[in-house]
Amino acid sequence: MTLILQYIRTIYLSIYCVDNILLSKKHNTNTTMATYDRAKAVKEFDESKMGVKGLSDSGIKTIPQIFIHPPQTLSNIKSSSKKTTSIPLIDLSNVNSPNHRPNIVKQIKEASKTWGFFQIINHNVHVSVLDNTIESIESFHNQPHEIKSKYYKREEGQGVMYASNNDLYRTNAASWHDSLQAWMAPKAPEAEELPGICRKEILEWDLHGSKVAEVVFELLSEGLGLESGKLNELSFCESRAIVGHCYPYCPQPDLTVGITPHTDPSAITLLLQNQVQGLQVEHDGEWVDVNPVHGGIIVNIGDFLQIISNGEYTSVQHRVLANSHKKSRISVVMFLNLSKWKGEGYHGPLPELLSPEKPPIYRDFTRQEFFDNFYSKGIDTKSFVDKVKIQN
Ligand SMILES: O=C(O)CCC(=O)C(=O)O
Ligand SMILES: [Fe+2]
């Protein structure tokens, strides 16, 4: 995923914006109109720098062809999600109480195994911090074209970016969302490049979110029967990327998607969302809605943790439907990633988890291999996990 690409190239913080032109060029979908020049249409859209929000605000009644997904992506887009089920809700209020902690660890372990997703409440971050972060991302996306377009960049490796159809989310058709992305790291000089309109709030959430992530990693370590600090030793919390998505109203939500099904390459991801529904998680072969819980923080397991936990935890596919509500859907995602620049070395299932009864189900791999993989592919497949899986 391009997150990882950025990760390779940008040690410190940057914000960027990209679109899926490059991929669109590679994956020109067949079209019934022989005259339709997809690459040209994508280029024009990109050069307009208006983003999906701009298109939506212009009052269009039909979406441009570049956003129309092939039937295979759309076939189950309307599949009714189980209304009675939802991802586990875990209350962290007594997380430091020796009486309650084992039960919380048990819940986290179970959720990470069966769902790959859970939602935490009473996590010690004031709800106003979460609300302000979401609102500031919304304000960024609501800015007039003249201001927002200054941040619009699509070349990889560039610093500041606001995104339309970020190529993190590339697929063979554009998806109906814009993003603003920030790389966070200690002493990041590029923090100055964050747009003024959401800078303060992003930095605030970065501070609190990192602490939440540390606690979650402790609980996940304990769930694996490891020392509490084991996963934090791998310093995922030092390599953070924050992405502020905006899914504006889509006039034809049955023809496109907000984000195509994918798993995250991170160790874990923290996600905030406003009250507009759209995120779905695959569970038992069905798509289940992730209902907004005010003040909740959604956590999901990424591919990297699935591998190093030797499959104890699961990185699960999720997607976002195109937004049929008039109000924009906003989500703020914090990826806690493997650090590219922390030396060389091999990764793979943690040796502490292996025994003759529990042999490794994934082989070891180098950091380079991990990053090269995400550099070269989109987010639509889970190929790295499949690639390192030991076949027997
Ligand atoms: O917007 C969302 O709720 C999901 C975003 C997501 O899956 C991602 O950025 O990887
Ligand atoms: Fe994701």
Side-chain angles (χ1 to χ4, degrees):
M1 166 158 156
T2 308
L3 267 180
I4 305 296
L5 161 66
Q6 283 292 348
Y7 201 179
I8 294 165
R9 300 207 178 154
T10 318
I11 293 179
Y12 295 116
L13 175 149
S14 62
I15 293 181
Y16 76 93
C17 151
V18 281
D19 74 5
N20 66 351
I21 284 183
L22 292 176
L23 208 90
S24 313
K25 277 181 184 156
K26 277 191 220 154
H27 293 267
N28 268 353
T29 42
N30 289 336
T31 167
T32 44
M33 289 158 57
T35 51
Y36 174 60
D37 185 344
R38 177 177 172 79
K40 183 160 170 268
V42 173
K43 186 163 183 285
E44 278 169 11
F45 171 69
D46 180 51
E47 284 172 358
S48 77
K49 300 186 177 181
M50 72 192 301
V52 174
K53 180 77 169 65
L55 276 181
S56 177
D57 289 348
S58 74
I60 53 164
K61 297 280 180 285
T62 57
I63 61 174
Q65 190 156 356
I66 57 168
F67 292 95
I68 299 178
H69 278 249
Q72 58 271 31
T73 326
L74 299 171
S75 61
N76 65 1
I77 208 84
K78 280 190 259 179
S79 71
S80 60
S81 65
K82 289 182 188 170
K83 296 290 175 219
T84 49
T85 345
S86 63
I87 61 170
L89 191 66
I90 300 176
D91 185 344
L92 294 190
S93 23
N94 292 312
V95 73
N96 292 321
S97 143
N99 286 341
H100 292 93
R101 191 168 175 107
N103 185 38
I104 296 175
V105 169
K106 196 167 156 234
Q107 290 176 54
I108 295 226
K109 179 181 174 152
E110 187 60 24
S112 304
K113 210 180 171 82
T114 57
W115 281 87
F117 265 79
F118 52 92
Q119 179 137 220
I120 51 176
I121 50 169
N122 297 320
H123 36 59
N124 227 359
V125 184
H126 199 275
V127 68
S128 63
V129 173
L130 312 184
D131 287 350
N132 292 345
T133 307
I134 293 168
E135 277 162 27
S136 74
I137 292 295
E138 184 164 29
S139 312
F140 174 81
H141 288 286
N142 280 341
Q143 288 177 113
H145 179 259
E146 307 79 75
I147 299 179
K148 211 167 46 170
S149 59
K150 287 190 197 131
Y151 294 97
Y152 196 109
K153 286 181 194 161
R154 56 169 281 269
E155 282 84 13
E156 290 152 346
Q158 284 198 4
V160 174
M161 297 188 87
Y162 135 70
S164 180
N165 294 289
N166 198 318
D167 70 3
L168 299 175
Y169 305 100
R170 59 191 166 183
T171 171
N172 56 3
S175 53
W176 197 261
H177 79 277
D178 294 334
S179 324
L180 170 73
Q181 177 165 325
W183 275 98
M184 319 299 287
K187 301 190 206 118
E190 290 90 347
E192 298 306 322
E193 296 181 32
L194 277 162
I197 196 158
C198 52
R199 181 171 189 276
K200 183 170 151 284
E201 290 80 2
I202 289 183
L203 293 176
E204 182 85 2
W205 167 235
D206 183 47
L207 198 71
H208 287 90
S210 315
K211 291 198 182 121
V212 169
E214 273 180 26
V215 172
V216 171
F217 277 124
E218 281 180 7
L219 297 166
L220 287 165
S221 295
E222 291 170 37
L224 292 170
L226 302 171
E227 291 287 320
S228 196
K230 180 66 200 174
L231 290 173
N232 280 318
E233 277 170 25
L234 299 171
S235 55
F236 302 118
C237 292
E238 287 177 24
S239 303
R240 311 178 295 282
I242 294 183
V243 185
H245 297 295
C246 172
Y247 304 83
Y249 166 70
C250 178
Q252 293 180 300
D254 296 343
L255 296 184
T256 187
V257 291
I259 290 184
T260 46
H262 67 279
T263 59
D264 296 344
S266 54
I268 63 167
T269 305
L270 304 187
L271 191 147
L272 313 178
Q273 58 177 344
N274 70 354
Q275 296 297 304
V276 182
Q277 196 125 353
L279 175 61
Q280 294 188 323
V281 171
E282 198 175 37
H283 183 69
D284 283 347
E286 289 204 41
W287 287 103
V288 176
D289 290 325
V290 178
N291 302 316
V293 171
H294 187 216
I297 301 174
I298 295 159
V299 182
N300 69 283
I301 306 298
D303 295 349
F304 195 81
L305 188 53
Q306 171 165 340
I307 298 168
I308 65 169
S309 70
N310 202 33
E312 284 296 310
Y313 296 150
T314 326
S315 170
V316 164
Q317 295 241 35
H318 49 286
R319 70 180 183 190
V320 180
L321 301 180
N323 181 14
S324 56
H325 305 91
K326 289 286 174 194
K327 183 172 167 52
S328 294
R329 176 169 186 273
I330 302 292
S331 66
V332 185
V333 186
M334 184 189 284
F335 297 103
L336 291 304
N337 292 311
L338 171 67
S339 166
K340 171 66 185 169
W341 42 90
K342 277 227 153 190
E344 290 307 311
Y346 278 85
H347 292 279
L350 295 169
E352 296 90 328
L353 300 177
L354 305 177
S355 66
E357 296 75 45
K358 287 195 174 169
I361 59 170
Y362 304 108
R363 67 166 171 82
D364 288 353
F365 54 89
T366 62
R367 284 170 189 237
Q368 192 62 42
E369 200 183 347
F370 183 77
F371 289 111
D372 285 353
N373 188 71
F374 288 111
Y375 178 54
S376 62
K377 77 175 187 68
I379 60 164
D380 320 35
T381 64
K382 203 177 176 174
S383 65
F384 195 72
V385 172
D386 292 341
K387 192 168 161 183
V388 296
K389 196 168 175 85
I390 298 170
Q391 314 291 342
N392 49 14

